Amino acid sequence: KKLSIFIGAGLLIFLLVLAGSQMTTVIEPGYRGVYVMLGKVAPEFKGEGLAIKAPFIASIQKISVRQQTEQMQTECYSADLQQVKATLRILYRIPESTVVAIYQQFEGDPFPTLIAPRVVEALKEVASSQSAEMIVQQRERIKVETLQAIRAKIGNGPSGGPLLIVEDITLSDLALSPE
């Protein structure tokens, strides 16, 4: 009888330690946590530091609010139908106010699903109105116009500010088709 009480007490302590370890998580600096309980997302994000959650049925997804840089290659056509290949570096960040909306609306990393398609579309729009020669000669103007178009295409988040902030783009390795 004493053995069964001892085993029961040991099992209870083990379950309490397990539940206690599942109740907390640490959100590192530069990240915000999105609280998800049984598939429902809380409307407010969790800030840096220790975060408490319901054990086993809740999770906290960490989203970076730091500036990030991605590189991509694309091609577009100029007004004189020359193919232009470009390498772009995009500097962007997620504002704190849109962390929850980004998590709910875009699966995983927002770059391939939100930013990259809009960057390609904006560059194609800007390049199609210029000759190939002008694209190469006026790289800075093409960059500024493309950046403005990207920002307009990304749109605003639920709080009225931008959904994502594209800080800057860099156009490099502009190459024209051999024709």
Side-chain angles (χ1 to χ4, degrees):
K1 183 162 172 109
K2 287 186 178 185
L3 181 62
S4 63
I5 291 174
F6 184 68
I7 291 174
L11 187 60
L12 181 63
I13 290 171
F14 173 74
L15 290 175
L16 288 173
V17 168
L18 183 64
S21 68
Q22 292 290 315
M23 288 181 62
T24 61
T25 189
V26 175
I27 301 170
E28 292 84 15
Y31 289 83
R32 299 300 174 264
V34 177
Y35 186 86
V36 182
M37 182 185 293
L38 297 174
K40 184 175 183 208
V41 176
E44 297 294 321
F45 66 87
K46 302 273 186 189
E48 299 171 351
L50 185 67
I52 298 174
K53 61 184 179 98
F56 309 115
I57 60 171
S59 65
I60 295 180
Q61 304 298 319
K62 297 170 187 168
I63 308 288
S64 176
V65 293
R66 294 177 177 164
Q67 182 169 298
Q68 300 174 53
T69 304
E70 295 284 343
Q71 182 171 319
M72 63 182 287
Q73 295 181 337
T74 189
E75 47 189 55
C76 55
Y77 289 92
S78 63
D80 53 0
L81 299 179
Q82 285 236 11
Q83 185 180 28
V84 179
K85 294 182 179 180
T87 301
L88 298 103
R89 292 182 60 80
I90 298 104
L91 283 73
Y92 71 97
R93 65 183 176 83
I94 300 172
E96 281 187 355
S97 61
T98 63
V99 166
V100 175
I102 291 286
Y103 178 79
Q104 287 178 311
Q105 296 173 16
F106 300 95
E107 180 181 353
D109 182 12
F111 184 81
T113 57
L114 176 63
I115 299 171
R118 285 153 181 89
V119 168
V120 171
E121 185 180 345
L123 182 60
K124 285 181 179 181
E125 284 178 10
V126 171
S128 68
S129 66
Q130 304 290 325
S131 69
E133 182 182 350
M134 296 306 282
I135 291 172
V136 174
Q137 289 177 351
Q138 298 183 356
R139 183 183 302 216
E140 186 63 27
R141 192 176 116 228
I142 299 298
K143 172 194 145 176
V144 169
E145 289 178 14
T146 303
L147 187 57
Q148 290 171 345
I150 293 167
R151 289 175 177 159
K153 288 179 183 307
I154 288 176
N156 292 331
S159 62
L163 189 60
L164 275 164
I165 297 174
V166 178
E167 300 284 355
D168 195 17
I169 62 168
T170 304
L171 288 171
S172 61
D173 300 331
L174 285 176
L176 301 176
S177 60
E179 299 132 18

